[in-house]
Amino acid sequence: MQPHHRRAFLGRGLAALTALGLGPLLHAGPASALHLPGGRYVGPDMGVVQDRLQQIVTASRLNVTAAILDLSTGVTAESGGDTWRYPGCTLNMLVMMSVVRDVVNGAYPFEYVDADIAYTIRNSSADRSLQLLRLTGGGDLAHGIEKVNALAAELGMTSTVYDHAPAFGHLYSVANGPNLTTANDANRLTAALWNHAVLPPDWSEYLIGRMTQVKPGLNYLIPAGVPKDATAIAAHKNGYLQDNTGTWVENDLGMVWSTDPAKPYAYAISMYIHDMAEEFGPKLFTGQRISSLAWNWFEEP
């Protein structure tokens, strides 16, 4: 990992950040300029959403779990929300939150890690996330894994196990086991970012902003359920892998929030689809339907 000098970083990234509404960077860190809803929205009856979600999952005949969390009220609709799932690279959000906390605490400069954080999120890069894990561990992968698990516990993610860097179980594994999480735990992670629970507001919003910059080819789950002309923004971190049975796992965690001041809703959403016969196959439409269900409900409760 090579250090990135501040002047060069600003020259490369300012135009892209400005286009996203993130504004220029300050010396102390990124500007707090994401347009997040300031008001509170009284959430709808999520029982109706739960019924519709379960209907979608049952009709799909797929191995799907999902959870939708109203970030204003804390009410959740879920289908299998506490069932263990293989998270893939979605859990790398914990690594990046740990790295940003290190930056806040003065462990290393922001410009040293920003390009790697951006690349990890944009491309779902396991290689870059491994570098960031080693960095937050002070050069020691084992210590990095300890920090990530401690952060998960701090966030109340009691059903999450970070055993190894995704895609690198052969390099370092705590117990020669899988990484595990649940849809509800994934939403706890997202809610912690949204509510600035572990990072100052400007740094939480920096990571949320980076989650809006996933490359188009990986926007096939949560963002695909939000119309392109919607007055809403989707931010997410996807993750996919082929498990030891040869089938595919397709995951996404994230949040969607309104940019319409008259309807300042915000919700977290996560989904984990196991036992897919092919990577990026047509059955991913089920995940898109779940995302569309959530957006339609909050947009027109």
Side-chain angles (χ1 to χ4, degrees):
M1 186 186 314
Q2 297 298 318
H4 304 282
H5 296 292
R6 186 178 301 275
R7 186 184 299 259
F9 164 74
L10 286 173
R12 290 193 305 271
L14 182 57
L17 290 170
T18 300
L20 278 169
L22 298 178
L25 298 178
L26 305 177
H27 286 288
S32 179
L34 267 180
H35 300 295
L36 309 183
R40 291 183 63 82
Y41 177 70
V42 178
D45 177 9
M46 295 290 278
V48 176
V49 181
Q50 173 129 350
D51 290 344
R52 293 179 182 175
L53 173 59
Q54 189 58 57
Q55 290 170 8
I56 292 172
V57 170
T58 301
S60 75
R61 298 185 179 180
L62 296 175
N63 185 357
V64 183
T65 66
I68 302 162
L69 168 67
D70 186 333
L71 287 167
S72 291
T73 66
V75 178
T76 290
E78 62 177 86
S79 178
D82 290 326
T83 302
W84 264 341
R85 303 271 93 181
Y86 299 142
C89 287
T90 60
L91 274 192
N92 283 331
M93 283 309 305
L94 286 171
V95 176
M96 289 177 280
M97 290 169 74
S98 180
V99 166
V100 171
R101 179 182 267 183
D102 291 344
V103 171
V104 172
N105 292 333
Y108 31 79
F110 167 64
E111 58 266 32
Y112 189 71
V113 299
D114 176 68
D116 290 301
I117 290 172
Y119 191 90
T120 297
I121 295 175
R122 175 175 172 77
N123 299 284
S124 194
S125 173
D127 292 331
R128 295 290 183 95
S129 65
L130 177 66
Q131 295 182 48
L132 292 170
L133 177 65
R134 181 177 283 112
L135 181 65
T136 196
D140 181 357
L141 281 176
H143 183 51
I145 289 170
E146 289 175 3
K147 285 180 68 174
V148 168
N149 278 303
L151 177 56
E154 183 180 344
L155 299 181
M157 299 170 66
T158 57
S159 296
T160 293
V161 177
Y162 189 91
D163 177 81
H164 56 268
F168 289 98
H170 63 284
L171 181 64
Y172 185 86
S173 175
V174 174
N176 293 318
N179 291 337
L180 296 168
T181 196
T182 68
N184 283 330
D185 266 9
N187 283 350
R188 290 182 180 101
L189 184 159
T190 307
L193 269 179
W194 183 260
N195 294 317
H196 318 313
V198 295
L199 297 171
D202 53 347
W203 291 102
S204 295
E205 292 169 17
Y206 158 73
L207 273 181
I208 293 170
R210 285 300 186 207
M211 292 169 70
T212 68
Q213 296 174 300
V214 176
K215 69 180 183 180
L218 297 179
N219 287 324
Y220 52 85
L221 284 175
I222 293 173
V226 180
K228 291 183 179 179
D229 61 350
T231 54
I233 296 174
H236 74 115
K237 177 68 183 77
N238 67 297
Y240 53 93
L241 68 143
Q242 193 171 30
D243 66 21
N244 56 15
T245 70
T247 61
W248 288 91
V249 177
E250 301 283 352
N251 309 320
D252 213 1
L253 65 80
M255 66 194 80
V256 177
W257 67 91
S258 171
T259 57
D260 181 353
K263 293 186 289 186
Y265 61 80
Y267 60 91
I269 178 171
S270 60
M271 59 186 74
Y272 292 85
I273 310 174
H274 282 207
D275 303 328
M276 298 285 288
E278 57 183 311
E279 184 182 16
F280 308 134
K283 291 184 178 180
L284 289 176
F285 179 65
T286 295
Q288 296 166 8
R289 285 190 67 196
I290 292 170
S291 177
S292 180
L293 163 68
W295 178 79
N296 275 292
W297 184 257
F298 282 93
E299 181 69 14
E300 298 292 341

